[in-house]
C-alpha cells in the first residue's frame, strides 16, 4: 500500500519528519516496508535565472550567465531550444546529481554528477535541467514533459532548492497492511491511523454534491445475486465532458504509480486510492434497455475486458450485465463494450461490495488480476462503499465534468451489513488479557482517537464500532487496539506465575529417533533433509515399472512445478538425486542418511488421511563398497538391539548380484545394494553408488530394549577354523549352522575368503573366528568337543570340510 | 702381579677405546669378566699362589674386578644412551602431519536447532506432539479461525491434494488435535515440516516449523513476553532482548511479531539486522477465543498463547547460513561443517 506524505497531509496535520512518522506507524502495527524519497537521486539543483544568453556560432548551443542568488552567477552552456534571457529554470550546480537521459531526452539512463565542462571551447559551470532530468513527468509537474528546459514560476527565489517547488521533497510510504485491516488499504485509511497515533484531528474528505432532478426510470438494477453481491449502488451522471484531469489529480495518481487517462476514469481511480473502494464507470449509451443485471455468468458466456483479453466464463463468475450481455467482470475489470470514450456523455457510476472469495476465485481461475480485484479480495466495507460514491460525485461537481442527477439506485440485499455494531467490553478483562493495568482514561482516549463511540460505565465499556472496522469482533480485538497505541514496551515479561506445573520433554519415540540419528552421525554419516515431493521423472530415473506400488503416489493439485508434484513413496530417488548433485559438484565420496516420511495412499484419489510412514534412507558413494553400506545397516540393527538377515533380492534400480533384502525376525524391513550399471550409466555416475532404505515403522516393532547380560566368571575361548566349501554356499548359511551346532557360540566372525589355486576348483576357503562364552562352569576342556560337533554339523548339512 | 694387573687394565682401556655398540662391549666384557675370561682365569690361578700372599693378591684381584665392572657399567650406560638417542633420531616423525581421524559424520543443522529448541521448552514443561503433514481443511484452517473466504488464506499459498486434503501450511494444525483431546493445563510444542507454494531466495516450498501452545488459567500477554524472553536468552545469548510489535494471525488476538535484539551488533545496527538493531524471529499471540471454543475449551475460564517460528530461519541466523537452499541440497561440503 503506497501512501504519499503530501496526500496524507490533506487529512492530518503531520508536523514530524517522514522517518519519525515511519517509526510511529511501525509501533502501531503498520510496517513501512520502504520509505521512498521522491527526489532521492536529485541534489544540488537550485533556481537559476538566465540573465545573459548568447548563441555559440555554428552550434545550437547558447552560453548563458545564470543568476543563482546567494550561490553566485555561473556561466553555463545550454542546448535547449527554449533558453532565453529572463526565464527561471532548475540549475544543477557543479557537484549536483540529476538523471542522465538518452539521446531522446526522455529515457532515463542513470544518475549523473555535474562536473565543470567545456563545450566547443566554452567553459560551463553547471547544467540547466529539463523535467525528465529531475525525474518528473507532465503529470507530476506542468511543463515537465517538455524535452527542453523546465520553466519555474517567475516568483521563485534565485538560488533556492528546487525540490520543494517541484514536489521532489515528498515521501512515499510503502506500507505492509495485515490481512485483518482491509480498511487501511487506502490513503484515508492510513490517515485515520496516523491521526490516532499522533493524537491529531482527522479531516474528512468532502462528500458533498448537488443533484439535478431527472426522470428516475432511466436505469433499472435487477436480478442481483445477493450472496456474492451484498450491496450495489449506481448513480447516473449526464452532460459528461471527457477531458484531461487537472494537475493536482494527475499528480496524485502519478505519485501512486497510476497513469492519468481522462477526468471520469481518473476520478474512479482517485477514489480507489483515497478510500480503498473500487469504482467503475459505464458508458450509458452501451447499456441496452437501461438495465443492470448482476448475475452469475452462463456457461461458455464470453467477455472482452478493457485490456482486450477475452474470457470464457462459467457459473462461478459474477458478471455485471445490461439487458442482454455482460458489460463487466464484477470487481475485476470492466468490459471493452461499455468503456468510457472521449465522446461519452452519460455515465453510470458503480460502487459495490462483492464477496471476497467470489472475486478471488474468478480472478485466480481467469488469471486476471487488477487493483480493484486485489481490494475486493481483501474485503471492502459498505460504510466506505456509500461514501466512495458520494466522493466520486463530489469530484464530478468539483471538476465540472458532468451533471450529477438525482438518479441514485442503492440495492441492499439480505447479505448487506450497514448497522453500526454495538458491543460491551470490560476493562478488567482487557487488562487481565494484557497482564498490565492500563488506566481507564487511557483506554477511553485511545478508543475515541480510533473513532469508537465510547461510554464508560464502571468497569464496563459500551462501544459503538466504526462502520469500517469489520475486524472488531470481541474484547481481545479491543485489547489489541489499546495495546497497539498504549505501547507494547509496557508489556513486562512474567513467567506464568499462575500456571500449573507440567511435565515436558521428548517422547519415547523422539528419543529413539534421536538415538538412531546420533548413532549414524557418530559412524561417519551426514544427515540430510530433502523435499517431501518429487516428480514422476524421479521414479522413471530408478526404472520403477508402471505397476510398481511406488508409482501409486499422491499428486498435488497445484504443484509449484512438475518437478515437485507428487508426494514421495520411497526415499531412494531423493537420495540418488542428492548423490548425483554431489558428484556434479566434485564431491567424489560421501556417506549420507535421512530419516523422513513417505506418504502412502490406500486409495487414489485420496478419500481420507494417507499413511505417513518414516523411512531411513542411506546412501554411499566413492571409495565405499557393498560391505561398507552393509556395515551401516548392521549399525542400525545394533542401535535397535536386534539382528538383520540378508537375502539376495531384485530391485529395478539395483545390481542384481550386489543387492539384498533385509529381514528382521523373518519380516522384510528394507533393502540395500549397488545402483545398477544401467541406471548409473543414464545418470553418468562417475563412482559406484550404494543405497539402502529401511521401513522405520516396521523396524520399531522389532527393536528390543537393552538389558545387561551378567558376565561369566570363566574366560571366553575362541578358535579359528578354515573351511573348504562349495563356491555357492553363503557366509550366512555357514554362520547359521555354526550357531545351531553349539549353544555356547556367541560370535562367529568371518575373517578370510580365498578362491584360487590352493583350493579345488568350484570350491572356496572361508576362515572364521568362533567365540565360545561359558556360563556357570568352565568350558576350556570342552572346546575340542564343541569344534568336532560344529564340523560334523557343517559336513552333514553343507558338505563342508576343515581345510 | 701388580704389573699383570696394570697390563690388564691397559688392555681393557685399549679394547674399549673405540667401542660404539653395546653388542661389541658385551663381547669385550665377556673376554675379561666371562667365565673363561682373563680375570676369571687369574682368579682360578689363586690356588697356585702361596697362602701368605693370597690375601693381598685376593684384594688386588677383587679391586681389579670391581674396577672392571664399574668401567663396563659406566660404558654400558653411555653406549645405551647413545644408542637410544640414535634410535630416537631415527624414529623421529613430523608431528605436524595430519592426524588419522575416524570418518566425520554430522547431524543436519535443522535437527540440531530442533533439538535445542525442544530442550529449551522441555525445560519449561512443554511436551512434544507431531501431527500429520497431510491435513484436512478443518484442522489447517477452519479450526484456526480461517474460514474459506478469509483473506488470510492468501497469506499462505496452500498445496492441495483434494478439495479437502492439503499439505499443512502450519504446525498449529496439530495443536488443534491436541486441544480436542486434552484438557488444560496444556503446554505443547509441535515441530514438523510444513509446505507453502513459495520458492525464492528466502522461501522454500517445504520448511520446518516449531510452534508452541500454552493453555491454562490466567495466561496473559506478559506471560508470552516472559517466556519468549527466556527462550531468546537461551538460544541467542544472555544479553538478548525481545520486542513485541502488532501483527495479525487469524488464530491469535492480539497477535504480535517478536523481534530479538541483533546478536551480531548488539543492537547498534549492522548488515544482518539491516541497520535496525532488531531481527524478526517469530510470530505469536493470545489464542483466539473462537479457536478455544471450537476445541471445547471454555475461553471464559482458560486463556492461552501460541508462538511459531521457522527452524530453518533460526538455523540460518544461528550459524550464519546465507542461503536457505543449502539446507535442502545435501552438499557434503555444507553438511561436514556441522560435525562438531
Amino acid at each position: 500500500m503506497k501512501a504519499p506524505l503530501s496526500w496524507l497531509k490533506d487529512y492530518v496535520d503531520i508536523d514530524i519528519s517522514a522517518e519519525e512518522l515511519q517509526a510511529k506507524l511501525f509501533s502501531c502495527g503498520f510496517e513501512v516496508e520502504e520509505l521512498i524519497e521522491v527526489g532521492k537521486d536529485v541534489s544540488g539543483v537550485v533556481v537559476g535565472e538566465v540573465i545573459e544568453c548568447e548563441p555559440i556560432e555554428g552550434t545550437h548551443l547558447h552560453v548563458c550567465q545564470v543568476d543563482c542568488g546567494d550561490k553566485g552567477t555561473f556561466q553555463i552552456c545550454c542546448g535547449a531550444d527554449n533558453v532565453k534571457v529572463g526565464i527561471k529554470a532548475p540549475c544543477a550546480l557543479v557537484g549536483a546529481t540529476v538523471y542522465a537521459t538518452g539521446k531522446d531526452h526522455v529515457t532515463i539512463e542513470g544518475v549523473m554528477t555535474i562536473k565543470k565542462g567545456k563545450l566547443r571551447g566554452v567553459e560551463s559551470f553547471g547544467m540547466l535541467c529539463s523535467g525528465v532530468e529531475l525525474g518528473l513527468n507532465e503529470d507530476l509537474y506542468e511543463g515537465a514533459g517538455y524535452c527542453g528546459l523546465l520553466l519555474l514560476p517567475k516568483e521563485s527565489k534565485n538560488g533556492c532548492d528546487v525540490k520543494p517547488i517541484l514536489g521532489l521533497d515528498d515521501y512515499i510510504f510503502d506500507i505492509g497492511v495485515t490481512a485483518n485491516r482491509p480498511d487501511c488499504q487506502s490513503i484515508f485509511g492510513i490517515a485515520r491511523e496516523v491521526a490516532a497515533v499522533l493524537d491529531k484531528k482527522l479531516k474528512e474528505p468532502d462528500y458533498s454534491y448537488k443533484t439535478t432532478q431527472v426522470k428516475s426510470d432511466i436505469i433499472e438494477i435487477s436480478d442481483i445475486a445477493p450472496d456474492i453481491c451484498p450491496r450495489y449502488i449506481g448513480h447516473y451522471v449526464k452532460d459528461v465532458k471527457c477531458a484531461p484531469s487537472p494537475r493536482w489529480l494527475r499528480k496524485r495518481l502519478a505519485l501512486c504509480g497510476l497513469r492519468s487517462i481522462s477526468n471520469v476514469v481518473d476520478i474512479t481511480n482517485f477514489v480507489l486510492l483515497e478510500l480503498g473502494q473500487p469504482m467503475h464507470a459505464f458508458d450509458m449509451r452501451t447499456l441496452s434497455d437501461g438495465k443492470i443485471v448482476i448475475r452469475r455468468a452462463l456457461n461458455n458466456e464470453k467477455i472482452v475486458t478493457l485490456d482486450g483479453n477475452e474470457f470464457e466464463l462459467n457459473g462461478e463468475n459474477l458478471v455485471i450485465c445490461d439487458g442482454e450481455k455482460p458489460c463487466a467482470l464484477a470487481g475485476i475489470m470492466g468490459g471493452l463494450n461499455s468503456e468510457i470514450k472521449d465522446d461519452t456523455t452519460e455515465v453510470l457510476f458503480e460502487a459495490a461490495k462483492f464477496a471476497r472469495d467470489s472475486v478471488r476465485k474468478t480472478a485466480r481461475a481467469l488469471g486476471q488480476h487488477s487493483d480493484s480485484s486485489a481490494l475486493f479480495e481483501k474485503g471492502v466495507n459498505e460504510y466506505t462503499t456509500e461514501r466512495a460514491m458520494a466522493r466520486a460525485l463530489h469530484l464530478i461537481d468539483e471538476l465540472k465534468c458532468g451533471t450529477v442527477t438525482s438518479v441514485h439506485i442503492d440495492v441492499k440485499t439480505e447479505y448487506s451489513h450497514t448497522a453500526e455494531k454495538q458491543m460491551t467490553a470490560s476493562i478488567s478483562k482487557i487488562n487481565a488479557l494484557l497482564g498490565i493495568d492500563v488506566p481507564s482514561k487511557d483506554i477511553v482516549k485511545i478508543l475515541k482517537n480510533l473513532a469508537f463511540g465510547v461510554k464508560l460505565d464502571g468497569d464496563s465499556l459500551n462501544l459503538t464500532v466504526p462502520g469500517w472496522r469489520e475486524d472488531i469482533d470481541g474484547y481481545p480485538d479491543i485489547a489489541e487496539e489499546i495495546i497497539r497505541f498504549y505501547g507494547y514496551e509496557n508489556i513486562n515479561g512474567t513467567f506464568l506465575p499462575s500456571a500449573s506445573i507440567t511435565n515436558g520433554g521428548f517422547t519415547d519415540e523422539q528419543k529413539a529417533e534421536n538415538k538412531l540419528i546420533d548413532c549414524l552421525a557418530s559412524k561417519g554419516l551426514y544427515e540430510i533433509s530433502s523435499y517431501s515431493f518429487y516428480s514422476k521423472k524421479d521414479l522413471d530415473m530408478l526404472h520403477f515399472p508402471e505397476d510398481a506400488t511406488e508409482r501409486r503416489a499422491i499428486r498435488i493439485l497445484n504443484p509449484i512445478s512438475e518437478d515437485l508434484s507428487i508426494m514421495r513413496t520411497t526415499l531412494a530417488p531423493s537420495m540418488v538425486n542428492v548423490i548425483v548433485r554431489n558428484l556434479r559438484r566434485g564431491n567424489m565420496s560421501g556417506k549420507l542418511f535421512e530419516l523422513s516420511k513417505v506418504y502412502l495412499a490406500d486409495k487414489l484419489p485420496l478419500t481420507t488421511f494417507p499413511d505417513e510412514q518414516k523411512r531411513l534412507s542411506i546412501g554411499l558413494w566413492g571409495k565405499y563398497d557393498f560391505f561398507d553400506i552393509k556395515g551401516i545397516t548392521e549399525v542400525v540393527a545394533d542401535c535397535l538391539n536386534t539382528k538383520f538377515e540378508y537375502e539376495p533380492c531384485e530391485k529395478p534400480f539395483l545390481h542384481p548380484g550386489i543387492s539384498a533384502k533385509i529381514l528382521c525376525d523373518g519380516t522384510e524391513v528394507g533393502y540395500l545394494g549397488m545402483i545398477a550399471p544401467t541406471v548409473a550409466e543414464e545418470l553418468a555416475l562417475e563412482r559406484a553408488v550404494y543405497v539402502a532404505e529401511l521401513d522405520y515403522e516396521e523396524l520399531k516393532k522389532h527393536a528390543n530394549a537393552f538389558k545387561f547380560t551378567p558376565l561369566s566368571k570363566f574366560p571366553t575361548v575362541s578358535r579359528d577354523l578354515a573351511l573348504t566349501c562349495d563356491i555357492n554356499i553363503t557366509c550366512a548359511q555357514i554362520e547359521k549352522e555354526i550357531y545351531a551346532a553349539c549353544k555356547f557360540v556367541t560370535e562367529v566372525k568371518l575373517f578370510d575368503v580365498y578362491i584360487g589355486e590352493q583350493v579345488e576348483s568350484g570350491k572356496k576357503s572361508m576362515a572364521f573366528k568362533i567365540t565360545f562364552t561359558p556360563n556357570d562352569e568352565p568350558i576350556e576342556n570342552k572346546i575340542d568337543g564343541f569344534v568336532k560337533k560344529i564340523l560334523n554339523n557343517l559336513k552333514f548339512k553343507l558338505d563342508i570340510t576343515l581345510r | 702381579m701388580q704389573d699383570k694387573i696394570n697390563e690388564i687394565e691397559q688392555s681393557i682401556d685399549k679394547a674399549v677405546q673405540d667401542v660404539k655398540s653395546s653388542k661389541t662391549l658385551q663381547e669385550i666384557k665377556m673376554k675379561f669378566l666371562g667365565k673363561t675370561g682373563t680375570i676369571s682365569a687369574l682368579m682360578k690361578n689363586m690356588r697356585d699362589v702361596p697362602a701368605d700372599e693370597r690375601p693381598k693378591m685376593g684384594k688386588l684381584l677383587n679391586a681389579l674386578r670391581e674396577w672392571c665392572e664399574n668401567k663396563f657399567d659406566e660404558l654400558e650406560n653411555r653406549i645405551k644412551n647413545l644408542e637410544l638417542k640414535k634410535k630416537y633420531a631415527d624414529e623421529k616423525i613430523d608431528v605436524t602431519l595430519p592426524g588419522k581421524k575416524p570418518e566425520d559424520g554430522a547431524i543436519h543443522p535443522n535437527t540440531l536447532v530442533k533439538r535445542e529448541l525442544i530442550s529449551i521448552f522441555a525445560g519449561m514443561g512443554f511436551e512434544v506432539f507431531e501431527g500429520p503433514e497431510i491435513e484436512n481443511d478443518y484442522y489447517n484452517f477452519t479450526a484456526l479461525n480461517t474460514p474459506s473466504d478469509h483473506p488470510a488464506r492468501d497469506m499462505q499459498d496452500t498445496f492441495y491434494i483434494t478439495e479437502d486434503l492439503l499439505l499443512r501450511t502450519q504446525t498449529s494444525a496439530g495443536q488443534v488435535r491436541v486441544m480436542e483431546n486434552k484438557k488444560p493445563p496444556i503446554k505443547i510444542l509441535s515441530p514438523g515440516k510444513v509446505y507453502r507454494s513459495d520458492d525464492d531466495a528466502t522461501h522454500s516450498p517445504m520448511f520446518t516449523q516449531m510452534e508452541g501452545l500454552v493453555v491454562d488459567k490466567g495466561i496473559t500477554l506478559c506471560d508470552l513476553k516472559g517466556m519468549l524472553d527466556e527462550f531468546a536468552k537461551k538460544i541467542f545469548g544472555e544479553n538478548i532482548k525481545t520486542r513485541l510489535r502488532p501483527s495479525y494471525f487469524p488464530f491469535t488476538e492480539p497477535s504480535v511479531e517478536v523481534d530479538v535484539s541483533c546478536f551480531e551488533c548488539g543492537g547498534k545496527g549492522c548488515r544482518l539486522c539491516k541497520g535496525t538493531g532488531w531481527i524478526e524471529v517469530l510470530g505469536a499471540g493470545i489464542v483466539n477465543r473462537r479457536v478455544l471454543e471450537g476445541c471445547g475449551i471454555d475461553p471464559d475460564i482458560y486463556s492461552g498463547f501460541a508462538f511459531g517460528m521457522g527452524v530453518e530461519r533460526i538455523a540460518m541466523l544461528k550459524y550464519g547460513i546465507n542461503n536457505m537452499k543449502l539446507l535442502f541440497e545435501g552438499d557434503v561440503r555444507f553438511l561436514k561443517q556441522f560435525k562438531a
Side-chain angles (χ1 to χ4, degrees), chain B residues 111-310:
Chain B
T111 309
L112 293 174
V113 169
K114 209 160 81 180
R115 286 187 188 177
E116 190 173 350
L117 293 173
I118 294 175
S119 320
I120 291 171
F121 287 106
M124 302 182 190
F126 282 75
E127 288 177 273
V128 182
F129 175 81
E130 291 172 298
E133 291 174 25
I134 296 180
E135 263 295 1
N136 64 14
D137 190 276
Y138 177 77
Y139 286 109
N140 195 73
F141 287 124
T142 311
L144 293 164
N145 197 33
T146 320
S148 68
D149 74 326
H150 201 287
R153 289 217 177 183
D154 280 356
M155 293 156 68
Q156 308 174 347
D157 279 310
T158 311
F159 289 118
Y160 282 92
I161 286 170
T162 65
E163 207 166 303
D164 185 45
L165 293 169
L166 45 85
L167 299 186
R168 67 175 174 194
T169 59
Q170 50 204 8
T171 52
S172 334
Q175 301 187 339
V176 175
R177 290 175 180 268
V178 171
M179 285 194 282
E180 282 178 344
N181 293 307
K182 194 174 153 73
K183 292 299 135 211
I186 292 172
K187 264 193 226 157
I188 50 163
L189 205 55
S190 42
K193 287 176 182 167
V194 298
Y195 303 86
R196 291 182 198 175
S197 182
D198 226 342
D199 199 3
D200 59 40
T202 51
H203 296 90
S204 161
M206 178 187 96
F207 61 101
T208 317
Q209 242 192 6
M210 176 83 73
E211 289 190 79
L213 170 75
V214 174
V215 183
D216 204 342
K217 287 177 186 162
I219 302 291
T220 72
L221 197 57
C222 289
D223 292 331
L224 170 65
K225 164 99 166 134
M227 180 163 283
L228 294 176
D229 282 344
E230 278 304 307
F231 150 76
K233 279 181 188 159
K234 287 208 162 99
I235 196 141
F236 293 118
E238 215 27 61
N239 300 321
I240 298 299
K241 290 180 185 60
T242 65
R243 171 177 81 173
L244 306 184
R245 57 192 166 88
S247 187
Y248 171 69
F249 308 106
F251 39 94
T252 50
E253 184 71 41
S255 302
V256 289
E257 209 70 69
V258 183
D259 301 334
V260 296
S261 55
C262 180
F263 39 84
E264 197 73 26
C265 63
K268 289 196 289 282
C270 66
R271 261 182 64 183
L272 183 68
C273 59
K274 298 188 189 102
T276 63
W278 295 93
I279 295 173
E280 187 178 323
V281 290
L282 56 85
I286 297 292
V287 181
N288 194 302
R289 290 167 59 86
R290 285 170 188 249
V291 175
L292 293 178
E293 262 165 12
C295 298
I297 296 173
D298 185 344
D300 287 324
I301 299 173
Y302 295 103
S303 58
F305 62 74
F307 55 87
M309 65 195 102

Side-chain angles (χ1 to χ4, degrees), chain A residues 146 198 200 268 396 413 438 475 584 627 681 705 720 729 736:
Chain A
Y146 184 60
L198 298 182
K200 296 260 185 183
T268 62
I396 292 285
T413 72
V438 184
Y475 78 85
R584 289 200 184 132
F627 297 102
E681 198 180 321
D720 292 349
I729 286 179
K736 195 178 153 208

Side-chain angles (χ1 to χ4, degrees), chain A residues 704-769:
Chain A
N704 297 302
F706 163 75
K707 216 166 169 206
F708 175 72
T709 314
L711 304 183
S712 170
K713 280 187 288 191
F714 308 102
T716 53
V717 183
S718 60
R719 283 282 190 279
D720 292 349
L721 297 181
L723 307 169
T724 308
C725 65
D726 185 277
I727 205 154
N728 290 320
I729 286 179
T730 65
C731 180
Q733 282 175 294
I734 299 175
E735 282 178 6
K736 195 178 153 208
E737 293 309 331
I738 295 173
Y739 279 114
C742 173
K743 64 171 183 169
F744 291 99
V745 173
T746 49
E747 196 179 16
V748 178
K749 214 170 184 177
L750 177 87
F751 63 89
D752 188 42
V753 180
Y754 175 79
I755 300 170
E757 286 170 15
Q758 306 293 317
V759 292
E760 220 179 298
S761 89
K763 300 243 169 184
K764 63 183 169 184
S765 163
M766 295 176 101
F768 292 90
K769 179 176 280 301

Side-chain angles (χ1 to χ4, degrees), chain A residues 13-179:
Chain A
D13 170 26
I14 298 168
D15 52 4
I16 54 174
S17 72
E19 288 79 10
E20 286 167 320
L21 183 57
Q22 177 180 16
K24 288 276 186 193
L25 283 167
F26 184 82
S27 74
C28 67
F30 294 89
E31 187 177 0
V32 177
E33 284 158 358
E34 197 185 358
L35 179 60
I36 305 157
E37 195 187 330
V38 174
K40 177 170 72 76
D41 296 322
V42 175
S43 68
V45 183
V46 300
V47 177
E49 182 178 355
V50 179
I51 50 176
E52 282 176 34
C53 182
E54 296 297 329
I56 302 176
E57 242 174 273
T59 71
H60 68 293
L61 298 173
H62 287 80
V63 53
C64 308
Q65 295 299 321
V66 182
D67 175 5
C68 295
D70 57 0
K71 306 289 180 305
T73 299
F74 302 94
Q75 173 170 300
I76 289 171
C77 292
C78 178
D81 58 3
N82 60 343
V83 63
K84 60 180 183 190
V85 171
I87 62 161
K88 291 193 176 187
C91 178
L93 304 173
V94 172
T97 54
V98 296
Y99 292 102
T101 56
K103 282 218 164 74
D104 58 359
H105 302 291
V106 176
T107 317
I108 289 176
E109 291 182 342
V111 178
M112 63 175 178
T113 305
I114 302 298
K115 297 190 190 75
K116 202 161 76 177
K118 222 176 207 181
L119 283 106
R120 303 288 170 120
V122 180
E123 283 194 306
S124 183
F125 298 88
M127 185 175 94
L128 294 172
C129 305
S130 70
V132 176
E133 283 160 340
L134 301 177
L136 296 166
N137 59 35
E138 196 62 34
D139 284 345
L140 289 167
Y141 195 84
E142 184 171 6
Y146 184 60
C147 66
L149 298 183
L150 173 64
L151 301 181
L152 298 172
K154 281 273 171 267
E155 63 275 17
S156 312
K157 192 169 168 250
N158 294 354
C160 279
D161 189 352
V162 297
K163 284 168 87 168
I165 300 168
L166 300 172
L168 290 172
D169 59 344
D170 203 358
Y171 287 86
I172 294 167
F173 295 86
D174 191 354
I175 300 170
V177 177
T178 51

Side-chain angles (χ1 to χ4, degrees), chain B residues 1-9 12 32-33 37-50 53-70:
Chain B
M1 192 64 201
Q2 187 60 51
D3 292 347
K4 184 101 186 181
I5 289 170
N6 288 345
E7 196 184 311
I8 291 171
E9 283 184 359
I12 289 176
F32 290 96
L33 285 170
T38 319
I39 293 169
S40 307
L42 280 179
M43 290 286 199
K44 275 180 198 149
N45 288 347
M46 279 291 281
R47 268 172 282 172
D48 306 333
V49 174
E53 282 185 36
R54 269 189 209 162
K56 196 181 155 207
M57 282 292 285
K59 231 182 186 172
L60 278 173
L61 277 177
N62 276 333
L64 173 66
R65 191 190 175 93
E66 208 171 302
W67 177 87
C68 255
E69 279 170 353
N70 286 340

